[in-house]
Amino acid sequence: VNLPINEAEVSAIAQHKSPGNIIMVTLGNGDLNQGFSSVIAQVWTDDNSLPTQYPAALPPAPELLELYGNWQSMYNTRLTLPKSRMKKRPTQTEHFSYQEFNALAGKLEDGLNKWLISEPFIPIDRRLRENFNRADQMRVIIQSPNPEVRKLPWHLWDFFKAYRQAEIAVSAPFSDRVAKIARPRTKIRILSILGDNKGINTDTDKQILSSIDAQVEFLEQPSRQELDAQLWDEQGWDILCFSGHSSSQMDGSSGWMNINQVDRLTIPDLKNALSAAIERGLQMAIFNSCDGLGLASQLADLHIPQIIVMRELVPDVVAQEFLKNFVTAFAGGKSFYMAVREAREKLQPIEEHYPCVTWLPVICQNPAEVPPTWESLRRGEPETH
């Protein structure tokens, strides 16, 4: 199997005494049209800091590209809403019934799972089921340079139906750890950017963050200079949360956020300030806004530990409900991954009006970092197990 393994990532994870249950599935060169001839699954367990490794492959699946494109088009057309956290929305030219939309979503889910039980890949699925009990907590990371792969709804993999304590994340092909300055403190520090709010209600996000036991600095429609200055704050930040309008390029290579009604910034526009914030302890970025995978792709280049984004347009009420449920679960002691899964799954009642919104939240993981707990953030120290 001619697949390069990122030895720095393996070494960084193995340095931790107990990295937890981690499954990292690395897809090498290829795409959905030609398949992936080299796939490696590396498995760390609670009682072993060194991974086992299993080779496999994935066949071509051009139908997944077509199904996702059709689903995305129908989602954007059928569910484009007045209160969506995207500045510019597709023109609504067609109308579809919920039945048609749900049928297409079902076809995409079936197609994904047929791909993942194909003969070249099924040995990995079987190995994972042999290695873990259904009650085990685990983090599953899909690592690929291909943006189309990272955009797939991996949480629909049948594996996660049986393993309720597992959650999925996507990752860029390579990553590293930034040396950080430990800054002990008694409260978690959150920088909340309340950007352009035309047509949406970011006040609810403000109320949610104000209700938790943390020191929150709110920047309401800041100028670029104001935002840059806050990111450079010597005390450092634990969590960055953006609420407002955002979008990404179609290929997922880049994105932008509207920090006010005039200024639209990309991650490179804030590169120096964000790098300084990460060195001073920034562990997590939450983009509670539309179509954020492009933002995550650029921010991953700076080696931030964790990012949460929405993969497509997000209705205002969905963004608010997700943020509320996530911070409640995370601050209540649940692990980062389990807090995301719980918050994502609690969106299901809203699907009566907005189908498939449980598909939207995505974790973008730096594999060389261990996700923090609320307590480790409060201490101002990186998690070590």
Side-chain angles (χ1 to χ4, degrees):
V1 178
N2 297 316
L3 178 64
I5 299 300
N6 188 347
E7 295 180 2
E9 289 175 5
V10 175
S11 175
I13 296 174
Q15 285 176 20
H16 298 287
K17 183 178 180 181
S18 175
N21 295 320
I22 306 172
I23 301 162
M24 187 153 64
V25 181
T26 303
L27 281 64
N29 293 330
D31 56 36
L32 291 172
N33 281 314
Q34 61 182 322
F36 299 87
S37 60
S38 296
V39 177
I40 292 288
Q42 295 171 286
V43 179
W44 289 260
T45 58
D46 274 328
D47 55 358
N48 200 325
S49 62
L50 295 175
T52 54
Q53 185 168 298
Y54 311 107
L58 278 164
E63 67 280 2
L64 288 181
L65 275 177
E66 182 178 357
L67 284 168
Y68 190 88
N70 291 341
W71 175 87
Q72 183 184 51
S73 177
M74 192 179 289
Y75 176 89
N76 289 340
T77 302
R78 180 66 179 86
L79 300 180
T80 295
L81 306 167
K83 290 192 174 183
S84 168
R85 295 193 170 190
M86 177 179 273
K87 187 71 172 178
K88 292 183 179 180
R89 304 175 187 86
T91 303
Q92 188 164 341
T93 57
E94 298 181 64
H95 296 275
F96 305 95
S97 69
Y98 284 155
Q99 291 77 13
E100 290 175 297
F101 182 74
N102 287 331
L104 180 57
K107 287 182 180 179
L108 178 53
E109 180 175 0
D110 289 345
L112 177 67
N113 280 293
K114 286 179 181 177
W115 190 48
L116 296 175
I117 60 170
S118 60
E119 185 177 349
F121 188 79
I122 195 64
I124 285 181
D125 187 282
R126 289 173 181 160
R127 285 282 192 174
L128 298 183
R129 294 175 193 269
E130 290 169 1
N131 284 346
F132 295 104
N133 298 316
R134 293 194 175 194
D136 289 339
Q137 277 201 28
M138 65 190 84
R139 293 177 273 139
V140 183
I141 304 170
I142 304 297
Q143 190 174 45
S144 172
N146 190 299
E148 292 170 342
V149 167
R150 297 199 297 271
K151 203 162 190 177
L152 290 175
W154 287 93
H155 69 284
L156 298 176
W157 184 3
D158 280 343
F159 179 82
F160 294 101
K161 294 176 183 176
Y163 292 83
R164 296 280 304 155
Q165 299 300 308
E167 179 60 337
I168 192 78
V170 296
S171 168
F174 293 99
S175 54
D176 202 350
R177 280 197 290 175
V178 174
K180 301 178 185 67
I181 303 170
R183 298 182 182 275
R185 45 181 167 259
T186 57
K187 280 196 173 184
I188 291 169
R189 300 194 78 226
I190 300 174
L191 180 60
S192 170
I193 307 164
L194 303 171
D196 180 14
N197 60 4
K198 185 176 181 180
I200 60 174
N201 178 16
T202 57
D203 285 343
T204 301
D205 298 52
K206 183 176 181 179
Q207 292 167 10
I208 292 166
L209 295 176
S210 297
S211 69
I212 59 178
D213 184 23
Q215 179 185 341
V216 187
E217 179 72 27
F218 293 102
L219 292 180
E220 300 192 39
Q221 299 198 48
S223 68
R224 178 174 177 174
Q225 290 75 20
E226 289 170 335
L227 173 55
D228 201 271
Q230 285 293 340
L231 289 169
W232 276 99
D233 190 292
E234 288 288 345
Q235 296 180 67
W237 304 99
D238 300 299
I239 300 173
L240 172 69
C241 183
F242 173 78
S243 303
H245 293 294
S246 68
S247 190
S248 295
Q249 296 287 358
M250 288 294 292
D251 63 1
S253 61
S254 62
W256 54 88
M257 53 184 169
N258 296 78
I259 61 169
N260 54 52
Q261 294 189 10
V262 177
D263 295 315
R264 188 178 78 170
L265 298 183
T266 65
I267 297 301
D269 291 331
L270 299 166
K271 178 180 178 180
N272 292 339
L274 284 167
S275 296
I278 293 168
E279 290 169 0
R280 292 167 185 168
L282 182 63
Q283 292 282 310
M284 185 188 311
I286 304 170
F287 292 97
N288 204 29
S289 55
C290 288
D291 193 20
L293 282 169
L295 286 164
S297 178
Q298 291 177 309
L299 189 52
D301 291 340
L302 305 182
H303 311 304
I304 188 171
Q306 276 78 223
I307 310 169
I308 302 173
V309 298
M310 301 292 180
R311 72 170 76 244
E312 299 290 349
L313 294 174
V314 56
D316 207 25
V317 64
V318 173
Q320 295 160 0
E321 193 69 13
F322 174 80
L323 183 62
K324 179 187 73 175
N325 291 330
F326 169 71
V327 298
T328 300
F330 190 49
K334 290 189 181 293
S335 70
F336 173 76
Y337 272 59
M338 286 300 95
V340 172
R341 177 163 181 165
E342 180 176 304
R344 178 173 57 75
E345 291 185 337
K346 280 187 172 181
L347 297 175
Q348 188 173 24
I350 306 177
E351 291 190 323
E352 179 182 2
H353 303 289
Y354 309 128
C356 288
V357 293
T358 55
W359 293 27
L360 299 182
V362 184
I363 299 172
C364 300
Q365 175 69 48
N366 178 347
E369 296 276 8
V370 177
T373 63
W374 187 260
E375 179 59 24
S376 71
L377 288 178
R378 189 192 63 76
R379 295 194 308 266
E381 300 171 355
E383 188 58 80
T384 57
H385 64 274

